[in-house]
Amino acid sequence: MSTHDQLKRTTMDYSPDRPKAENPLNIMDLTLRDGHQSLFATRGRTEDMIPVAEMMDEVGFWALETWGGATFDTMHRFLNEDPWERIRTLKRYAPKTPFSMLLRAQNLVGYRNYADDLALAFVERAAENGMDIFRTFDALNDYRNFETVVSMIKKCDKHFQGCICYTMTEPRLGGDVYNIDYYINKAKDLEAMGADSICIKDMAGLIAPLDAYDVVKALKETVKAPIHLHSHFTSGMSPMSHLKAIEAGVDIIDTCMSPYAYRTSHAAVEPLVMTLLGTNRDTGFDIRQLAQINEILEKKVLPKYKHLLDDSKVSIIDISVLLHQTPGGMLSNLVNQLREMDALHKIDEVYKELPRVRKELGQIPLVTPTSQIVGIQTVNNVLFDDQYERYKMITDQVKDLCYGLYGKTAVPIDPEVQKKALKGYSRGEEPVTCRPAEVLEPELENARKDIEGLAEDLDDVITYALYPITGKRFLKWKYGQEDPPLEVKARTLEEIKAEEELVKMAKLGLLVKKPEKEVPAKDAHIRKFDVFVDDRYFEVEVQEPEGMPMVSYMPQMPFAASSRVAPPARPSTPVPAAPAPAAPTVEDIEGTSLTAPMPGMIVKYLKAMGESVEKGDNVVILEAMKMENALPAPEGGKIKSINFSIGDSVAKGDVLCVIG
Ligand code: CO
């Protein structure tokens, strides 16, 4: 049993070389991962981390979180950066402080369970590239999903941090599922698995200060491993919860540098350093050194990302988690998805349906990927169900969940929903109860064969295996087989300034003025910028040397934040200025059209040209908001036209194929 010292003043010496506290609070900095993931859609580039990496290495952080979570996805998809290279680069600038990554257990850094061979290779390569601490979580808190990755973390002699995803069914800790005993039992399980530290992962900012106190105290009394608290600011409670957790003896707390703090991110480090100054839990940090880092971030880095900050609200607190327990990120996804489908007015129905869907799907915690699974199924139910039938359009991920592919849910899944979801399910209609990855075939060798000739090393193969479509596209960029589109290129501060000028001019109405000079011819190096002014969107083309900015068109489309955040944007004008991809004209083909019920990306066509289909056969897999949806044939017949290719983005209502 550990002793819990009250927080007390121990010195009046506040100099940077003040005496070390008896039990200094350890701090992990999240700026370089969760910070920009939470505030700037994970768009932080390595080149913008380098200016502060060396200084951050000097602060004395317990660890720097630099990788994992959504970074792998966004880097190769949107930033044309090799995710593996980031670890190696940052390590050169910050060699002293351990690096931590967020590992989604058997989901690795993706959105489904991967096979054991891929999971083992991924962890081994991450360790080899320089990762030290593996913060591991499973969305269902089913630790059987830890077994494979933990075996490799241990084999590589790295730090295994086991997470307990913090969730509730009541407004506060308690009730019959997520009560204090639940967390105590989970911590015992983690200790038995050899956890080097245990993290309470409060991804939605749900933990109330007194509950934080109770949970931390209970865990300190139950297990030996250090206790780490990760609590997002979203609801506004986290700084208070931090202090109560410190009183209960928490060992490590997560914070961000102040420009990357608050909103849906984390509390800032500086107020916490000041709060603990001169106490028995003093961090020992030099606040002036932190200020110097902030100065660089604020002036040299943040201007490049400010446009990604959600400034649609003045309040920095999102009370929806207090009202609906909907994690901040999930809520903005739901809103974007509804907006893209012109159904934003149904948000209240979504709030009402959400707890019901969550309960029917086994009262699961809401964290990536379960937050998307529950969220998107809820939206589907609200949009497509009628009074006679619920769950009319079930996503493949919900089917997988019902089959047991994600693991064991906190309470059993509603049998009726489960039966409906598994009707005709490809793996079988009887759910499994084993460790989910046991039913998965090895996949690394196939990936290696598929990408032969393009991948140069195992890291490339893994990138492809995790993300077959976008990973392959990235490897083509990496090895010069395809030119990356301009939108994945980094922008300079000068370009940002020019863009801000344009926004100013647009606001003053100056951009629509007729140019007095003759319009110069566009050259091949023209660059496009998306400029958002209130709810209007401008596409601005800029060219040098003497080209003048001009508005090429000005669609009156509602401001869709998701087009910058969610993966499948409509194909932005292809690079060699050509007309929109010429789909076969469907008007000429007689038959029934299968249209996209929502915007998304074509994952694959399950039927070929000329193939016969029965009504209800699945024809197309469409990825929308990271979930795959199988779209059934509206009528039987032969496939008469296939209008898109794999990887194409489609809008709602686009004709995907014609059956006749
Ligand atoms: Co987080």
Side-chain angles (χ1 to χ4, degrees):
M1 173 156 164
S2 57
T3 54
H4 305 300
D5 289 331
Q6 285 295 312
L7 195 54
K8 56 177 186 263
R9 190 192 295 277
T10 53
T11 173
M12 299 288 259
D13 176 1
Y14 304 133
S15 63
D17 43 12
R18 60 195 181 272
K20 198 169 181 282
E22 297 161 43
N23 179 20
L25 179 74
N26 286 309
I27 305 238
M28 177 154 97
D29 176 84
L30 308 180
T31 305
L32 306 181
R33 203 285 299 177
D34 211 354
H36 69 104
Q37 177 167 331
S38 298
L39 298 186
F40 309 115
T42 335
R43 294 302 199 271
R45 287 178 183 272
T46 310
E47 63 184 55
D48 292 323
M49 300 175 180
I50 290 172
V52 291
E54 225 164 313
M55 295 168 81
M56 290 182 77
D57 201 23
E58 299 297 327
V59 172
F61 289 118
W62 180 76
L64 295 172
E65 193 190 41
T66 53
W67 212 62
T71 58
F72 200 101
D73 185 356
T74 49
M75 287 179 75
H76 85 280
R77 193 191 291 253
F78 297 117
L79 307 178
N80 187 20
E81 274 195 51
D82 192 333
W84 303 100
E85 181 55 43
R86 174 170 294 173
I87 317 179
R88 297 191 295 267
T89 302
L90 289 179
K91 202 80 186 178
R92 284 197 288 276
Y93 290 89
K96 290 189 291 192
T97 312
F99 279 7
S100 180
M101 75 165 288
L102 182 64
L103 181 67
R104 296 168 179 157
Q106 199 85 24
N107 289 354
L108 306 177
V109 287
Y111 306 97
R112 66 169 174 92
N113 274 331
Y114 296 99
D116 284 338
D117 63 339
L118 180 54
L120 291 170
F122 177 86
V123 171
E124 189 172 23
R125 290 307 306 153
E128 185 63 30
N129 276 291
M131 201 41 63
D132 304 290
I133 297 165
F134 290 78
R135 167 176 281 180
T136 310
F137 80 95
D138 174 69
L140 301 186
N141 285 330
D142 181 347
Y143 296 144
R144 294 174 307 169
N145 289 325
F146 280 22
E147 286 172 16
T148 302
V149 292
V150 168
S151 72
M152 185 53 82
I153 297 166
K154 291 283 176 190
K155 193 172 162 205
C156 296
D157 209 16
K158 300 295 182 183
H159 183 116
F160 159 45
Q161 177 168 91
C163 289
I164 312 171
C165 293
Y166 187 80
T167 190
M168 305 180 301
T169 43
E170 313 276 323
R172 292 283 295 273
L173 179 71
D176 49 10
V177 184
Y178 298 110
N179 48 36
I180 197 100
D181 289 335
Y182 176 89
Y183 294 100
I184 288 175
N185 289 330
K186 288 291 167 190
K188 283 182 182 163
D189 291 348
L190 289 173
E191 183 162 68
M193 293 187 86
D196 298 298
S197 57
I198 291 173
C199 174
I200 303 157
K201 180 176 159 61
D202 175 26
M203 53 279 170
L206 297 170
I207 201 166
L210 296 183
D211 294 338
Y213 183 90
D214 289 349
V215 173
V216 170
K217 198 165 195 311
L219 298 196
K220 286 299 289 178
E221 284 165 2
T222 307
V223 292
K224 287 200 187 69
I227 303 299
H228 195 150
L229 177 61
H230 175 88
S231 179
H232 281 255
F233 179 75
T234 322
S235 68
M237 290 191 289
S238 78
M240 295 182 274
S241 303
H242 285 164
L243 199 59
K244 291 305 287 183
I246 291 165
E247 284 185 355
V250 79
D251 299 279
I252 315 158
I253 274 186
D254 282 346
T255 59
C256 282
M257 299 301 298
S258 58
Y260 286 78
Y262 302 111
R263 297 183 184 267
T264 52
S265 179
H266 294 259
V269 62
E270 300 84 352
L272 188 58
V273 170
M274 209 38 124
T275 301
L276 301 177
L277 193 70
T279 70
N280 53 330
R281 302 301 309 272
D282 192 333
T283 59
F285 293 179
D286 177 359
I287 197 146
R288 287 168 307 182
Q289 193 180 20
L290 297 170
Q292 284 168 8
I293 298 170
N294 282 337
E295 172 99 356
I296 297 174
L297 291 172
E298 191 70 54
K299 294 207 171 126
K300 301 250 164 66
V301 176
L302 261 298
K304 296 187 189 176
Y305 298 97
K306 229 166 50 187
H307 65 290
L308 293 167
L309 195 65
D310 176 11
D311 57 0
S312 59
K313 276 172 51 186
V314 174
S315 171
I316 64 161
I317 289 172
D318 184 350
I319 60 156
S320 58
V321 298
L322 306 177
L323 296 173
H324 320 286
Q325 295 182 40
T326 320
M330 176 180 182
L331 188 78
S332 55
N333 274 344
L334 290 175
V335 167
N336 288 335
Q337 200 194 358
L338 285 173
R339 187 173 5 222
E340 284 190 357
M341 300 171 78
D342 297 326
L344 202 50
H345 57 282
K346 299 213 165 163
I347 188 78
D348 284 334
E349 281 175 63
V350 168
Y351 283 141
K352 237 174 84 191
E353 178 76 2
L354 187 87
R356 192 171 170 198
V357 171
R358 182 186 179 199
K359 193 163 183 209
E360 284 162 343
L361 294 180
Q363 205 63 277
I364 52 185
L366 300 175
V367 58
T368 301
T370 47
S371 51
Q372 284 91 336
I373 294 173
V374 173
I376 287 162
Q377 189 58 53
T378 301
V379 170
N380 280 1
N381 285 7
V382 166
L383 293 182
F384 303 115
D385 288 0
D386 53 36
Q387 65 210 92
Y388 309 107
E389 193 186 353
R390 293 186 69 234
Y391 288 89
K392 268 185 141 174
M393 182 134 126
I394 302 182
T395 66
D396 282 5
Q397 279 71 14
V398 166
K399 294 175 191 172
D400 294 343
L401 177 76
C402 289
Y403 185 67
L405 221 46
Y406 286 91
K408 192 168 181 281
T409 52
V411 302
I413 296 175
D414 181 283
E416 253 177 67
V417 173
Q418 191 167 30
K419 200 167 160 222
K420 176 154 196 198
L422 292 180
K423 191 165 175 282
Y425 179 73
S426 59
R427 291 175 189 275
E429 298 195 350
E430 268 310 301
V432 294
T433 54
C434 60
R435 184 179 71 90
E438 272 167 32
V439 303
L440 300 177
E441 295 293 325
E443 52 187 312
L444 196 56
E445 273 321 301
N446 282 341
R448 205 191 293 271
K449 274 183 216 138
D450 282 355
I451 201 71
E452 211 176 342
L454 187 54
E456 294 204 345
D457 54 24
L458 183 54
D459 294 355
D460 287 345
V461 173
I462 294 172
T463 301
Y464 168 75
L466 294 173
Y467 288 99
I469 297 173
T470 53
K472 187 173 185 178
R473 185 180 63 174
F474 167 74
L475 293 175
K476 285 184 178 167
W477 297 341
K478 179 177 172 184
Y479 294 114
Q481 292 195 7
E482 249 174 41
D483 282 336
L486 286 172
E487 59 260 26
V488 303
K489 292 211 173 117
R491 296 186 305 168
T492 63
L493 266 184
E494 286 66 40
E495 285 168 339
I496 300 288
K497 275 190 197 136
E499 205 179 303
E500 278 173 0
E501 274 307 305
L502 289 172
V503 170
K504 243 191 242 164
M505 285 168 69
K507 277 186 172 160
L508 293 170
L510 294 175
L511 274 191
V512 287
K513 246 184 161 179
K514 266 194 191 156
E516 279 158 26
K517 285 188 208 166
E518 218 172 281
V519 179
K522 292 186 195 178
D523 67 29
H525 304 291
I526 200 153
R527 293 194 69 173
K528 283 198 164 102
F529 294 93
D530 289 338
V531 179
F532 299 90
V533 181
D534 299 328
D535 59 349
R536 283 183 302 163
Y537 158 65
F538 301 83
E539 187 178 281
V540 180
E541 297 180 333
V542 181
Q543 84 180 20
E544 286 176 302
E546 291 181 306
M548 62 183 308
M550 54 192 169
V551 177
S552 63
Y553 73 95
M554 208 179 77
Q556 295 293 310
M557 86 178 199
F559 175 69
S562 63
S563 62
R564 295 173 296 154
V565 178
R570 282 286 291 155
S572 48
T573 333
V575 181
T585 41
V586 279
E587 293 86 72
D588 315 340
I589 302 167
E590 268 189 40
T592 309
S593 300
L594 171 60
T595 55
M598 59 191 88
M601 182 182 77
I602 303 286
V603 176
K604 65 177 162 218
Y605 281 89
L606 302 167
K607 305 285 176 193
M609 270 298 277
E611 205 173 321
S612 297
V613 293
E614 303 269 324
K615 181 178 172 181
D617 281 358
N618 289 334
V619 179
V620 185
I621 305 281
L622 180 71
E623 184 198 85
M625 308 299 288
K626 292 173 185 154
M627 293 296 117
E628 293 182 1
N629 301 275
L631 305 181
E635 286 300 334
K638 279 204 164 77
I639 305 282
K640 288 180 121 178
S641 89
I642 285 186
N643 300 343
F644 290 92
S645 314
I646 290 173
D648 280 353
S649 298
V650 297
K652 183 186 174 192
D654 277 356
V655 176
L656 307 180
C657 69
V658 177
I659 300 159

